[in-house]
Every structure is written in C-alpha cells, then in structure tokens.
Amino acid sequence: MGPSALEEKVVAAVPTQLHIGGRWVDAEGGATFDVLDPATGDVLCAVADATPSDGMKALDAAVAAQSSFAAVPPQRRADILTRAFELLHERIDDLALLMTLEMGKPLADSRGEIAYAAEFLRHFAGEATRISGGYQTAPAGGARFLIARQPVGPSLLITPWNFPMAMGTRKIGPAIAAGCTSVIKPAHQTPLSMLALVEILHEAGVPDGVVNIVPTTAPGPVMEPLIRSGKARKLSFTGSTQVGRILLEQCAEKVLRTSMELGGNAPLIVFEDADLDEAVAGAMAAKMRNMGEACTAANRIYVHESLIDEFGRRMAERMAGLVVGHGTEDGVDVGPLIDDAAQDKVSELVADAVSRGARVLTGGERPDGAGFFYPPTVLTGVGADARMAHGEIFGPVAPLTPFASEDEVVAAANATEYGLVSYVFTNDLRRALRVAETLESGMVGLNQGVVSNPAAPFGGVKESGLGREGGSVGIDEFLETKYVGIALAH
Ligand code: NAD
C-alpha cells in the first residue's frame, strides 16, 4: 500500500533545501540524497546534500549574524522561543506524522517527542531572561569584581537520528536563549523534522543567519573544516561515543567549547525489596521508550535471583503483547529499527548472547519482508561475556541477568566505560540513596524508568559525555563568564 494523501501532503510541505543566512538554497552542484521510510524502505523525498563549501557558507552566515543577535534583548529572544513552542503544538499532528515516516516510531511516540522538544523551547525561553552576573568586593578590599555572562559565539550543533527533533531543540533552545548563532547538522537518516523545525523558528522570528541547517551525507568532510576553521566557538554534539571522540580531537585544535552527549549502557537493577509491578513497568519504559533506540535505554537488566523467574515471565508477557508494525497504523506499539544495519546488529547481538548460554523468553527471530523490524525480545541468563553487556543494543531487546548481593550488582553495573544513566528499583530508602550515590552515571532513575525532563540536567560521566543539557545549567554550555576587575581607589 502506498503513502496516503495526508502522508504525501505532510512530506511535500517540508522544505528540502539548505537554510543559510535566512534563505532556502540548493546544495552547491544541486546534489540531493533520499530520505527513506524505515517501515517500508521506500523513498519519502530527496533533500539537498550539503558540500563542504555549503557548510562554510552556513558558518559564515552564523558568524555574520553573531554580534547583532547577541544584542537582541533577552525578552525578544524568549518571545521567539515561546512562539516556536506554540507553533510546534499547533502543528503537532503533521509534525508527528512526518517524524514517524522518517524515523519509524509510532505516532503517539512522535507526538510525545514533539511535545518534549517544544518543552525545551519553553524552558529556555524562561532561562533567556534569567542570565545574571555578579558584583563582589575583592577579598583584600579596594578592588571590585564585575562578573558578566556573554554568548559563547557561533555554535556547531550535530544531532542523531533517534530523537530527530528533541535533540535539536535541546541545543537550539539554549543557543538562542544565550544569544548564540548556529549551524545545525542533523543526521542524514532523519533531516525532515529538523528542516520543519528550522522553518518554524524562522516563522517565529529568528533573524536571518541565526539558525542555519546543512543536512549532508558527508558529515566528516563537511563539519571538520568548520570545526578547525577557528570561526566557530562551540561544538555541541549528540551521538555515539566513537564519533564524539573524533570530534573532541578536532575541537582541540582551536580549543572549542564542547558539549558531548554520547552513548550509554544503562544498568537497571531490581532489588529483592522492589515493588515487582512497578519494576516491570519501569523496565518496560526504560527498555521500550523509542523502541530501545535511546541512549538512556536499559541495556543490562539485573534482577535479584529470588525474583528473576517471575520478573522474566511478566516482562516476556508484556513484551510479547506489543504490536509491531508501521508507526502510522492505529494500535502499533513498536515500529521498525532505523535501517538494515541496525537490524543486522540487533540480530547478531541476540545470536551472540544465545550462543553463550542466554535463553530466549520471547522474540529473538528476525522477520522476513519489507522494513527493518525486530520483535520485542526478552533474554534471560545473559552473562557478562555477552557482547550486548558491553555496548548499546539500540533495539527492543531486554537482557536479564540474576544477581545475589548489592555489592556484586553495583560492581557489575559500574563495570563499563559508559556512565549516562542507571535505574534502581527498591523500597529500602537507605539502599536507594547508597546505591544512587555509588553508581557511576550522570543520572539515576529511582523507582522510575524515564529520567528525561527539559527542566532537569541531562548528561553523562565517563565516556558518556561532557556537559549537561536542560535544567538551569543547560544554558551555561552556551555562555562564557567574563570577569572585569575594577580599581575603585584614586
Ligand atoms: P552517530 O554518532 O553515528 O551520529 C550522530 C551524528 O553525528 C549524526 O548527525 C552523524 O551524521 C554525525 N557524524 C557522524 N560522523 C561524523 C563525523 N565524522 N563528523 C561529524 N559528524 C559526524 O550516532 P547515531 O547513530 O546518529 O545516534 C545514535 C547514538 O547517539 C547512540 O550512541 C546514542 O546513545 C547516542 N545518543 C546520545 C544521547 C545523549 O543525550 N547522550 C541522545 C541520543 C542519542
């Protein structure tokens, strides 16, 4: 069955060119690339494929707009963000359909992401008017310190495909609030949601050159010269640790400010004193939000040995009951993975775990046919030697591992180079706080399976990243602190 008239209309409405200096333009040479529907493998549309020279033009536009944008009153910057927030809500139905078509997640999840994405704009609209400084007396007296916050300057924003809009507003919101101009490079798998967002920002009153976007299939060749040019002052990246490491090296040359939201390998621990219903519901949320394609996804589920059989039975029942299909269809809970490489990777990780002794409680069979689907899967008895215990599964697969003691499970949870988020289910207050303090992660979900909230500081430790997005600190990533020493005495 082909796309519906509504689907065609929604895709046709999205600008498919680059946005540079306030104008929609073709890529140099007119090159384009195809955006696919992962549920069918069909082409949705073609988008301009930026070249390195287009990237540099976008950065030059951001540089040219920087000083005038820094002078725009904070209230005006807040008003722009608020208007964009409203427009996202006014158009949520069309935007959700667009997101589902390019990314695969069910419509309800896409609506959830757009509301979440919009919330970053509202949150940072508030922060724009609260940028403050200080005035203090030097400890020895006499001199005074004036402390002011200023925008960092032109910023490069690179985002992944798994949350095609929210990972953008989490950066664009604070950048605009702080008075920074930017060049956005969305993932080539899902450029449409970000192109639609840029159009909305423009409509909301973002001045020309303040937000530029350059989708491309050559992210390295396009972005590296911008990073090394010395014209940009900041790189904010969300994506894999592997790519983050490369970008950090590139940023070293001109000593760019960096924010790095990288990969995760979240442990979820269910202690023997947990509320089992709550723990199963929490594990379902932590595993299945975004179909497992989230940096925050529970990647290793440790269940106390006294509960694991019952936990596994209930989780398998819940997972087996989920409806897999095209995200645009009513009643679908789980859409396709992003591409065939993701489908291959998940299948291989499951086969590896099974070859090392894990048992399949449900799922585990890669389906035939069009689209990049994988069934919700629960494995039990997954050992520490399984490949999936060491890296992101990024799919709807829940690996269960039994444990006997608190010390043992905390050591296992921390035995990873990642440190984004951990989840703990227990009704023992002392244990909850003790374990939350000991877990090596930037965030901990205590008796809850979702931690993402625009008003909270999101980010990781160890190789999961640098800096925080959201919360009251999210804007700090786009501000420099300037200190003026003042002599008062004649
Ligand atoms: P990815 O690292 O492959 O790509 C992320 C972005 O970087 C894309 O826009 C891509 O085009 C770009 N990119 C790739 N190579 C580049 C290069 N050499 N130079 C410049 N840009 C380059 O990641 P992905 O597969 O798109 O996204 C999934 C990853 O993102 C997972 O590891 C996930 O955990 C992570 N993620 C982290 C967070 C977080 O907040 N910590 C949130 C969402 C996703």
Side-chain angles (χ1 to χ4, degrees), residues 158-163 167 170 185-187 219-220 223 237-241 243 246-247 261-264 295 392 394 420 458 464:
I158 303 179
T159 56
W161 51 264
N162 62 340
F163 291 99
M167 297 303 97
R170 205 159 76 162
K185 197 218 73 63
M223 296 311 286
F237 172 74
T238 298
S240 60
T241 296
V243 172
I246 296 169
L247 296 175
E261 295 289 349
L262 308 178
C295 52
E392 296 184 303
F394 244 60
L420 188 62
F458 187 104
S464 286

PDB file of all heavy atoms in Angstrom, residues 158-163 167 170 185-187 219-220 223 237-241 243 246-247 261-264 295 392 394 420 458 464, ligand 1:
ATOM      1  N   ILE A 158      25.411  19.213  16.205  1.00  0.00           N
ATOM      2  CA  ILE A 158      25.298  17.949  15.442  1.00  0.00           C
ATOM      3  C   ILE A 158      24.380  17.005  16.209  1.00  0.00           C
ATOM      4  O   ILE A 158      24.592  16.773  17.407  1.00  0.00           O
ATOM      5  CB  ILE A 158      26.682  17.299  15.235  1.00  0.00           C
ATOM      6  CG1 ILE A 158      27.624  18.269  14.515  1.00  0.00           C
ATOM      7  CG2 ILE A 158      26.559  15.997  14.459  1.00  0.00           C
ATOM      8  CD1 ILE A 158      29.040  17.723  14.271  1.00  0.00           C
ATOM      9  N   THR A 159      23.371  16.460  15.525  1.00  0.00           N
ATOM     10  CA  THR A 159      22.337  15.671  16.224  1.00  0.00           C
ATOM     11  C   THR A 159      22.157  14.289  15.588  1.00  0.00           C
ATOM     12  O   THR A 159      22.435  14.109  14.401  1.00  0.00           O
ATOM     13  CB  THR A 159      20.993  16.422  16.207  1.00  0.00           C
ATOM     14  OG1 THR A 159      20.656  16.712  14.853  1.00  0.00           O
ATOM     15  CG2 THR A 159      21.072  17.716  17.003  1.00  0.00           C
ATOM     16  N   PRO A 160      21.655  13.332  16.380  1.00  0.00           N
ATOM     17  CA  PRO A 160      21.453  11.959  15.886  1.00  0.00           C
ATOM     18  C   PRO A 160      20.046  11.761  15.312  1.00  0.00           C
ATOM     19  O   PRO A 160      19.216  12.663  15.369  1.00  0.00           O
ATOM     20  CB  PRO A 160      21.636  11.138  17.159  1.00  0.00           C
ATOM     21  CG  PRO A 160      21.048  12.020  18.227  1.00  0.00           C
ATOM     22  CD  PRO A 160      21.321  13.442  17.808  1.00  0.00           C
ATOM     23  N   TRP A 161      19.787  10.555  14.827  1.00  0.00           N
ATOM     24  CA  TRP A 161      18.503  10.279  14.178  1.00  0.00           C
ATOM     25  C   TRP A 161      17.436   9.795  15.160  1.00  0.00           C
ATOM     26  O   TRP A 161      16.270   9.747  14.823  1.00  0.00           O
ATOM     27  CB  TRP A 161      18.678   9.211  13.084  1.00  0.00           C
ATOM     28  CG  TRP A 161      19.404   7.989  13.589  1.00  0.00           C
ATOM     29  CD1 TRP A 161      20.738   7.730  13.476  1.00  0.00           C
ATOM     30  CD2 TRP A 161      18.850   6.895  14.336  1.00  0.00           C
ATOM     31  NE1 TRP A 161      21.055   6.548  14.111  1.00  0.00           N
ATOM     32  CE2 TRP A 161      19.904   6.012  14.641  1.00  0.00           C
ATOM     33  CE3 TRP A 161      17.563   6.572  14.776  1.00  0.00           C
ATOM     34  CZ2 TRP A 161      19.717   4.837  15.363  1.00  0.00           C
ATOM     35  CZ3 TRP A 161      17.372   5.404  15.499  1.00  0.00           C
ATOM     36  CH2 TRP A 161      18.444   4.555  15.779  1.00  0.00           C
ATOM     37  N   ASN A 162      17.820   9.374  16.373  1.00  0.00           N
ATOM     38  CA  ASN A 162      16.840   8.645  17.196  1.00  0.00           C
ATOM     39  C   ASN A 162      15.757   9.544  17.808  1.00  0.00           C
ATOM     40  O   ASN A 162      14.629   9.116  18.002  1.00  0.00           O
ATOM     41  CB  ASN A 162      17.528   7.770  18.250  1.00  0.00           C
ATOM     42  CG  ASN A 162      18.350   8.554  19.245  1.00  0.00           C
ATOM     43  OD1 ASN A 162      18.733   9.698  18.993  1.00  0.00           O
ATOM     44  ND2 ASN A 162      18.641   7.949  20.375  1.00  0.00           N
ATOM     45  N   PHE A 163      16.121  10.795  18.134  1.00  0.00           N
ATOM     46  CA  PHE A 163      15.106  11.780  18.530  1.00  0.00           C
ATOM     47  C   PHE A 163      15.297  12.970  17.582  1.00  0.00           C
ATOM     48  O   PHE A 163      15.997  13.934  17.911  1.00  0.00           O
ATOM     49  CB  PHE A 163      15.282  12.201  19.994  1.00  0.00           C
ATOM     50  CG  PHE A 163      14.964  11.112  20.979  1.00  0.00           C
ATOM     51  CD1 PHE A 163      15.970  10.349  21.557  1.00  0.00           C
ATOM     52  CD2 PHE A 163      13.645  10.837  21.318  1.00  0.00           C
ATOM     53  CE1 PHE A 163      15.677   9.336  22.455  1.00  0.00           C
ATOM     54  CE2 PHE A 163      13.346   9.819  22.220  1.00  0.00           C
ATOM     55  CZ  PHE A 163      14.359   9.070  22.789  1.00  0.00           C
ATOM     56  N   MET A 167      16.492  16.325  20.100  1.00  0.00           N
ATOM     57  CA  MET A 167      17.939  16.502  20.262  1.00  0.00           C
ATOM     58  C   MET A 167      18.379  17.825  19.633  1.00  0.00           C
ATOM     59  O   MET A 167      19.443  18.349  19.961  1.00  0.00           O
ATOM     60  CB  MET A 167      18.705  15.325  19.644  1.00  0.00           C
ATOM     61  CG  MET A 167      18.432  13.984  20.298  1.00  0.00           C
ATOM     62  SD  MET A 167      18.765  13.927  22.086  1.00  0.00           S
ATOM     63  CE  MET A 167      17.142  14.199  22.796  1.00  0.00           C
ATOM     64  N   ARG A 170      17.015  20.795  22.216  1.00  0.00           N
ATOM     65  CA  ARG A 170      17.805  20.762  23.449  1.00  0.00           C
ATOM     66  C   ARG A 170      19.085  21.593  23.285  1.00  0.00           C
ATOM     67  O   ARG A 170      19.701  21.984  24.260  1.00  0.00           O
ATOM     68  CB  ARG A 170      18.140  19.293  23.728  1.00  0.00           C
ATOM     69  CG  ARG A 170      18.405  18.969  25.138  1.00  0.00           C
ATOM     70  CD  ARG A 170      18.224  17.504  25.417  1.00  0.00           C
ATOM     71  NE  ARG A 170      19.333  16.697  24.935  1.00  0.00           N
ATOM     72  CZ  ARG A 170      19.572  15.456  25.360  1.00  0.00           C
ATOM     73  NH1 ARG A 170      18.788  14.900  26.271  1.00  0.00           N
ATOM     74  NH2 ARG A 170      20.571  14.769  24.892  1.00  0.00           N
ATOM     75  N   LYS A 185      23.650  20.409  11.948  1.00  0.00           N
ATOM     76  CA  LYS A 185      23.787  19.302  11.012  1.00  0.00           C
ATOM     77  C   LYS A 185      23.013  18.119  11.564  1.00  0.00           C
ATOM     78  O   LYS A 185      23.455  17.435  12.478  1.00  0.00           O
ATOM     79  CB  LYS A 185      25.260  18.916  10.803  1.00  0.00           C
ATOM     80  CG  LYS A 185      25.413  18.071   9.562  1.00  0.00           C
ATOM     81  CD  LYS A 185      26.408  16.962   9.681  1.00  0.00           C
ATOM     82  CE  LYS A 185      25.976  15.811  10.523  1.00  0.00           C
ATOM     83  NZ  LYS A 185      24.797  15.065  10.020  1.00  0.00           N
ATOM     84  N   PRO A 186      21.801  17.884  11.044  1.00  0.00           N
ATOM     85  CA  PRO A 186      21.018  16.740  11.532  1.00  0.00           C
ATOM     86  C   PRO A 186      21.550  15.442  10.932  1.00  0.00           C
ATOM     87  O   PRO A 186      22.330  15.470   9.972  1.00  0.00           O
ATOM     88  CB  PRO A 186      19.616  17.039  10.988  1.00  0.00           C
ATOM     89  CG  PRO A 186      19.857  17.808   9.731  1.00  0.00           C
ATOM     90  CD  PRO A 186      21.142  18.590   9.934  1.00  0.00           C
ATOM     91  N   ALA A 187      21.113  14.316  11.487  1.00  0.00           N
ATOM     92  CA  ALA A 187      21.503  13.017  10.915  1.00  0.00           C
ATOM     93  C   ALA A 187      20.852  12.871   9.536  1.00  0.00           C
ATOM     94  O   ALA A 187      19.701  13.271   9.344  1.00  0.00           O
ATOM     95  CB  ALA A 187      21.043  11.896  11.841  1.00  0.00           C
ATOM     96  N   PRO A 219      29.127  13.892   6.658  1.00  0.00           N
ATOM     97  CA  PRO A 219      29.265  14.716   7.877  1.00  0.00           C
ATOM     98  C   PRO A 219      30.710  15.055   8.217  1.00  0.00           C
ATOM     99  O   PRO A 219      31.009  16.178   8.610  1.00  0.00           O
ATOM    100  CB  PRO A 219      28.630  13.850   8.973  1.00  0.00           C
ATOM    101  CG  PRO A 219      28.604  12.461   8.437  1.00  0.00           C
ATOM    102  CD  PRO A 219      28.472  12.596   6.952  1.00  0.00           C
ATOM    103  N   GLY A 220      31.613  14.092   8.030  1.00  0.00           N
ATOM    104  CA  GLY A 220      33.022  14.349   8.363  1.00  0.00           C
ATOM    105  C   GLY A 220      33.614  15.460   7.482  1.00  0.00           C
ATOM    106  O   GLY A 220      34.055  16.498   7.989  1.00  0.00           O
ATOM    107  N   MET A 223      31.844  18.880   8.258  1.00  0.00           N
ATOM    108  CA  MET A 223      31.965  19.506   9.585  1.00  0.00           C
ATOM    109  C   MET A 223      33.411  19.742  10.018  1.00  0.00           C
ATOM    110  O   MET A 223      33.705  20.713  10.718  1.00  0.00           O
ATOM    111  CB  MET A 223      31.228  18.664  10.644  1.00  0.00           C
ATOM    112  CG  MET A 223      29.730  18.565  10.436  1.00  0.00           C
ATOM    113  SD  MET A 223      28.912  20.151  10.153  1.00  0.00           S
ATOM    114  CE  MET A 223      28.933  20.874  11.787  1.00  0.00           C
ATOM    115  N   PHE A 237      27.414  18.242  20.518  1.00  0.00           N
ATOM    116  CA  PHE A 237      27.214  17.012  19.754  1.00  0.00           C
ATOM    117  C   PHE A 237      26.379  16.028  20.550  1.00  0.00           C
ATOM    118  O   PHE A 237      26.613  15.831  21.739  1.00  0.00           O
ATOM    119  CB  PHE A 237      28.586  16.391  19.454  1.00  0.00           C
ATOM    120  CG  PHE A 237      28.517  15.009  18.839  1.00  0.00           C
ATOM    121  CD1 PHE A 237      28.130  14.840  17.522  1.00  0.00           C
ATOM    122  CD2 PHE A 237      28.842  13.877  19.584  1.00  0.00           C
ATOM    123  CE1 PHE A 237      28.065  13.571  16.940  1.00  0.00           C
ATOM    124  CE2 PHE A 237      28.778  12.599  19.017  1.00  0.00           C
ATOM    125  CZ  PHE A 237      28.391  12.451  17.697  1.00  0.00           C
ATOM    126  N   THR A 238      25.425  15.400  19.906  1.00  0.00           N
ATOM    127  CA  THR A 238      24.752  14.238  20.483  1.00  0.00           C
ATOM    128  C   THR A 238      24.894  13.103  19.486  1.00  0.00           C
ATOM    129  O   THR A 238      24.511  13.249  18.316  1.00  0.00           O
ATOM    130  CB  THR A 238      23.264  14.515  20.761  1.00  0.00           C
ATOM    131  OG1 THR A 238      23.169  15.572  21.707  1.00  0.00           O
ATOM    132  CG2 THR A 238      22.582  13.288  21.345  1.00  0.00           C
ATOM    133  N   GLY A 239      25.449  12.005  19.939  1.00  0.00           N
ATOM    134  CA  GLY A 239      25.634  10.856  19.058  1.00  0.00           C
ATOM    135  C   GLY A 239      26.477   9.813  19.759  1.00  0.00           C
ATOM    136  O   GLY A 239      26.543   9.777  20.988  1.00  0.00           O
ATOM    137  N   SER A 240      27.150   8.998  18.971  1.00  0.00           N
ATOM    138  CA  SER A 240      27.892   7.882  19.547  1.00  0.00           C
ATOM    139  C   SER A 240      29.202   8.353  20.192  1.00  0.00           C
ATOM    140  O   SER A 240      29.774   9.369  19.791  1.00  0.00           O
ATOM    141  CB  SER A 240      28.207   6.869  18.445  1.00  0.00           C
ATOM    142  OG  SER A 240      28.978   7.491  17.440  1.00  0.00           O
ATOM    143  N   THR A 241      29.683   7.578  21.137  1.00  0.00           N
ATOM    144  CA  THR A 241      30.963   7.878  21.780  1.00  0.00           C
ATOM    145  C   THR A 241      32.099   7.843  20.748  1.00  0.00           C
ATOM    146  O   THR A 241      33.007   8.679  20.770  1.00  0.00           O
ATOM    147  CB  THR A 241      31.219   6.870  22.911  1.00  0.00           C
ATOM    148  OG1 THR A 241      30.191   7.056  23.890  1.00  0.00           O
ATOM    149  CG2 THR A 241      32.574   7.067  23.571  1.00  0.00           C
ATOM    150  N   VAL A 243      32.101   8.615  17.523  1.00  0.00           N
ATOM    151  CA  VAL A 243      32.192   9.863  16.750  1.00  0.00           C
ATOM    152  C   VAL A 243      32.543  11.029  17.681  1.00  0.00           C
ATOM    153  O   VAL A 243      33.331  11.906  17.319  1.00  0.00           O
ATOM    154  CB  VAL A 243      30.879  10.120  15.968  1.00  0.00           C
ATOM    155  CG1 VAL A 243      30.902  11.508  15.320  1.00  0.00           C
ATOM    156  CG2 VAL A 243      30.668   9.050  14.914  1.00  0.00           C
ATOM    157  N   ILE A 246      36.253  11.453  18.045  1.00  0.00           N
ATOM    158  CA  ILE A 246      36.886  12.060  16.850  1.00  0.00           C
ATOM    159  C   ILE A 246      36.678  13.572  16.897  1.00  0.00           C
ATOM    160  O   ILE A 246      37.596  14.362  16.655  1.00  0.00           O
ATOM    161  CB  ILE A 246      36.258  11.491  15.551  1.00  0.00           C
ATOM    162  CG1 ILE A 246      36.534  10.002  15.429  1.00  0.00           C
ATOM    163  CG2 ILE A 246      36.734  12.257  14.323  1.00  0.00           C
ATOM    164  CD1 ILE A 246      35.732   9.309  14.325  1.00  0.00           C
ATOM    165  N   LEU A 247      35.458  13.985  17.233  1.00  0.00           N
ATOM    166  CA  LEU A 247      35.145  15.420  17.230  1.00  0.00           C
ATOM    167  C   LEU A 247      35.904  16.155  18.335  1.00  0.00           C
ATOM    168  O   LEU A 247      36.361  17.282  18.131  1.00  0.00           O
ATOM    169  CB  LEU A 247      33.632  15.623  17.380  1.00  0.00           C
ATOM    170  CG  LEU A 247      32.808  15.070  16.208  1.00  0.00           C
ATOM    171  CD1 LEU A 247      31.315  15.213  16.492  1.00  0.00           C
ATOM    172  CD2 LEU A 247      33.155  15.778  14.903  1.00  0.00           C
ATOM    173  N   GLU A 261      27.023  14.695  24.317  1.00  0.00           N
ATOM    174  CA  GLU A 261      26.009  13.760  24.819  1.00  0.00           C
ATOM    175  C   GLU A 261      26.200  12.474  24.041  1.00  0.00           C
ATOM    176  O   GLU A 261      25.792  12.381  22.886  1.00  0.00           O
ATOM    177  CB  GLU A 261      24.600  14.325  24.593  1.00  0.00           C
ATOM    178  CG  GLU A 261      24.292  15.586  25.385  1.00  0.00           C
ATOM    179  CD  GLU A 261      24.141  15.335  26.885  1.00  0.00           C
ATOM    180  OE1 GLU A 261      24.074  14.157  27.309  1.00  0.00           O
ATOM    181  OE2 GLU A 261      24.098  16.325  27.626  1.00  0.00           O
ATOM    182  N   LEU A 262      26.840  11.497  24.670  1.00  0.00           N
ATOM    183  CA  LEU A 262      27.294  10.325  23.901  1.00  0.00           C
ATOM    184  C   LEU A 262      26.510   9.063  24.281  1.00  0.00           C
ATOM    185  O   LEU A 262      25.416   9.147  24.813  1.00  0.00           O
ATOM    186  CB  LEU A 262      28.800  10.158  24.119  1.00  0.00           C
ATOM    187  CG  LEU A 262      29.609  11.437  23.839  1.00  0.00           C
ATOM    188  CD1 LEU A 262      31.094  11.244  24.121  1.00  0.00           C
ATOM    189  CD2 LEU A 262      29.395  11.938  22.421  1.00  0.00           C
ATOM    190  N   GLY A 263      27.086   7.935  24.005  1.00  0.00           N
ATOM    191  CA  GLY A 263      26.367   6.682  24.174  1.00  0.00           C
ATOM    192  C   GLY A 263      26.160   6.273  25.627  1.00  0.00           C
ATOM    193  O   GLY A 263      26.757   6.848  26.541  1.00  0.00           O
ATOM    194  N   GLY A 264      25.321   5.283  25.826  1.00  0.00           N
ATOM    195  CA  GLY A 264      25.050   4.770  27.163  1.00  0.00           C
ATOM    196  C   GLY A 264      25.088   3.249  27.182  1.00  0.00           C
ATOM    197  O   GLY A 264      25.155   2.602  26.135  1.00  0.00           O
ATOM    198  N   CYS A 295      19.696   6.482  24.015  1.00  0.00           N
ATOM    199  CA  CYS A 295      20.944   6.423  24.787  1.00  0.00           C
ATOM    200  C   CYS A 295      20.646   6.032  26.227  1.00  0.00           C
ATOM    201  O   CYS A 295      21.494   5.504  26.922  1.00  0.00           O
ATOM    202  CB  CYS A 295      21.634   7.781  24.739  1.00  0.00           C
ATOM    203  SG  CYS A 295      20.531   9.113  25.218  1.00  0.00           S
ATOM    204  N   GLU A 392      25.898  -0.619  23.316  1.00  0.00           N
ATOM    205  CA  GLU A 392      24.475  -0.316  23.134  1.00  0.00           C
ATOM    206  C   GLU A 392      23.807  -1.331  22.219  1.00  0.00           C
ATOM    207  O   GLU A 392      24.291  -1.587  21.116  1.00  0.00           O
ATOM    208  CB  GLU A 392      24.337   1.070  22.503  1.00  0.00           C
ATOM    209  CG  GLU A 392      24.856   2.169  23.382  1.00  0.00           C
ATOM    210  CD  GLU A 392      24.629   3.540  22.767  1.00  0.00           C
ATOM    211  OE1 GLU A 392      25.097   3.763  21.634  1.00  0.00           O
ATOM    212  OE2 GLU A 392      23.991   4.372  23.424  1.00  0.00           O
ATOM    213  N   PHE A 394      20.559  -0.844  21.244  1.00  0.00           N
ATOM    214  CA  PHE A 394      19.787   0.075  20.408  1.00  0.00           C
ATOM    215  C   PHE A 394      18.665  -0.638  19.654  1.00  0.00           C
ATOM    216  O   PHE A 394      18.469  -0.452  18.452  1.00  0.00           O
ATOM    217  CB  PHE A 394      20.711   0.842  19.443  1.00  0.00           C
ATOM    218  CG  PHE A 394      20.700   2.327  19.714  1.00  0.00           C
ATOM    219  CD1 PHE A 394      21.101   2.822  20.952  1.00  0.00           C
ATOM    220  CD2 PHE A 394      20.261   3.231  18.757  1.00  0.00           C
ATOM    221  CE1 PHE A 394      21.058   4.181  21.229  1.00  0.00           C
ATOM    222  CE2 PHE A 394      20.220   4.599  19.016  1.00  0.00           C
ATOM    223  CZ  PHE A 394      20.623   5.068  20.253  1.00  0.00           C
ATOM    224  N   LEU A 420      25.972   7.068  31.562  1.00  0.00           N
ATOM    225  CA  LEU A 420      24.915   8.049  31.284  1.00  0.00           C
ATOM    226  C   LEU A 420      23.820   7.986  32.351  1.00  0.00           C
ATOM    227  O   LEU A 420      23.583   8.951  33.059  1.00  0.00           O
ATOM    228  CB  LEU A 420      24.334   7.805  29.887  1.00  0.00           C
ATOM    229  CG  LEU A 420      23.363   8.881  29.387  1.00  0.00           C
ATOM    230  CD1 LEU A 420      24.051  10.227  29.282  1.00  0.00           C
ATOM    231  CD2 LEU A 420      22.768   8.495  28.037  1.00  0.00           C
ATOM    232  N   PHE A 458      20.514  16.916  32.069  1.00  0.00           N
ATOM    233  CA  PHE A 458      20.694  15.625  31.404  1.00  0.00           C
ATOM    234  C   PHE A 458      22.143  15.505  30.942  1.00  0.00           C
ATOM    235  O   PHE A 458      22.662  16.396  30.281  1.00  0.00           O
ATOM    236  CB  PHE A 458      19.758  15.572  30.190  1.00  0.00           C
ATOM    237  CG  PHE A 458      19.717  14.245  29.498  1.00  0.00           C
ATOM    238  CD1 PHE A 458      18.639  13.387  29.672  1.00  0.00           C
ATOM    239  CD2 PHE A 458      20.751  13.844  28.666  1.00  0.00           C
ATOM    240  CE1 PHE A 458      18.600  12.157  29.034  1.00  0.00           C
ATOM    241  CE2 PHE A 458      20.723  12.615  28.025  1.00  0.00           C
ATOM    242  CZ  PHE A 458      19.642  11.775  28.210  1.00  0.00           C
ATOM    243  N   SER A 464      30.414   8.645  28.487  1.00  0.00           N
ATOM    244  CA  SER A 464      29.078   9.050  28.016  1.00  0.00           C
ATOM    245  C   SER A 464      28.983  10.544  27.788  1.00  0.00           C
ATOM    246  O   SER A 464      27.935  11.021  27.348  1.00  0.00           O
ATOM    247  CB  SER A 464      27.993   8.594  28.997  1.00  0.00           C
ATOM    248  OG  SER A 464      27.789   7.205  28.881  1.00  0.00           O
TER     249      SER A 464
HETATM  250  P1  NAD B   1      26.402   8.818  15.249  1.00  0.00           P
HETATM  251  O1  NAD B   1      27.498   9.152  16.199  1.00  0.00           O
HETATM  252  O2  NAD B   1      26.684   7.845  14.179  1.00  0.00           O
HETATM  253  O3  NAD B   1      25.909  10.140  14.510  1.00  0.00           O
HETATM  254  C1  NAD B   1      25.480  11.252  15.229  1.00  0.00           C
HETATM  255  C2  NAD B   1      25.608  12.467  14.352  1.00  0.00           C
HETATM  256  O4  NAD B   1      26.982  12.672  14.053  1.00  0.00           O
HETATM  257  C3  NAD B   1      24.911  12.353  13.005  1.00  0.00           C
HETATM  258  O5  NAD B   1      24.393  13.622  12.657  1.00  0.00           O
HETATM  259  C4  NAD B   1      26.035  11.972  12.071  1.00  0.00           C
HETATM  260  O6  NAD B   1      25.811  12.363  10.739  1.00  0.00           O
HETATM  261  C5  NAD B   1      27.159  12.786  12.659  1.00  0.00           C
HETATM  262  N1  NAD B   1      28.501  12.300  12.322  1.00  0.00           N
HETATM  263  C6  NAD B   1      28.897  11.040  12.094  1.00  0.00           C
HETATM  264  N2  NAD B   1      30.217  11.019  11.810  1.00  0.00           N
HETATM  265  C7  NAD B   1      30.652  12.305  11.886  1.00  0.00           C
HETATM  266  C8  NAD B   1      31.907  12.931  11.692  1.00  0.00           C
HETATM  267  N3  NAD B   1      32.993  12.231  11.394  1.00  0.00           N
HETATM  268  N4  NAD B   1      31.990  14.261  11.837  1.00  0.00           N
HETATM  269  C9  NAD B   1      30.900  14.985  12.160  1.00  0.00           C
HETATM  270  N5  NAD B   1      29.679  14.448  12.349  1.00  0.00           N
HETATM  271  C10 NAD B   1      29.560  13.114  12.208  1.00  0.00           C
HETATM  272  O7  NAD B   1      25.161   8.392  16.123  1.00  0.00           O
HETATM  273  P2  NAD B   1      23.702   7.986  15.638  1.00  0.00           P
HETATM  274  O8  NAD B   1      23.752   6.584  15.175  1.00  0.00           O
HETATM  275  O9  NAD B   1      23.101   9.005  14.724  1.00  0.00           O
HETATM  276  O10 NAD B   1      22.896   8.105  17.008  1.00  0.00           O
HETATM  277  C11 NAD B   1      22.907   7.122  17.947  1.00  0.00           C
HETATM  278  C12 NAD B   1      23.924   7.418  19.015  1.00  0.00           C
HETATM  279  O11 NAD B   1      23.601   8.661  19.654  1.00  0.00           O
HETATM  280  C13 NAD B   1      23.916   6.395  20.125  1.00  0.00           C
HETATM  281  O12 NAD B   1      25.235   6.117  20.509  1.00  0.00           O
HETATM  282  C14 NAD B   1      23.168   7.102  21.248  1.00  0.00           C
HETATM  283  O13 NAD B   1      23.456   6.618  22.524  1.00  0.00           O
HETATM  284  C15 NAD B   1      23.614   8.495  21.065  1.00  0.00           C
HETATM  285  N6  NAD B   1      22.690   9.423  21.718  1.00  0.00           N
HETATM  286  C16 NAD B   1      23.084  10.044  22.869  1.00  0.00           C
HETATM  287  C17 NAD B   1      22.214  10.894  23.522  1.00  0.00           C
HETATM  288  C18 NAD B   1      22.621  11.584  24.788  1.00  0.00           C
HETATM  289  O14 NAD B   1      21.973  12.548  25.136  1.00  0.00           O
HETATM  290  N7  NAD B   1      23.665  11.149  25.479  1.00  0.00           N
HETATM  291  C19 NAD B   1      20.946  11.124  22.999  1.00  0.00           C
HETATM  292  C20 NAD B   1      20.570  10.479  21.831  1.00  0.00           C
HETATM  293  C21 NAD B   1      21.465   9.629  21.193  1.00  0.00           C
END
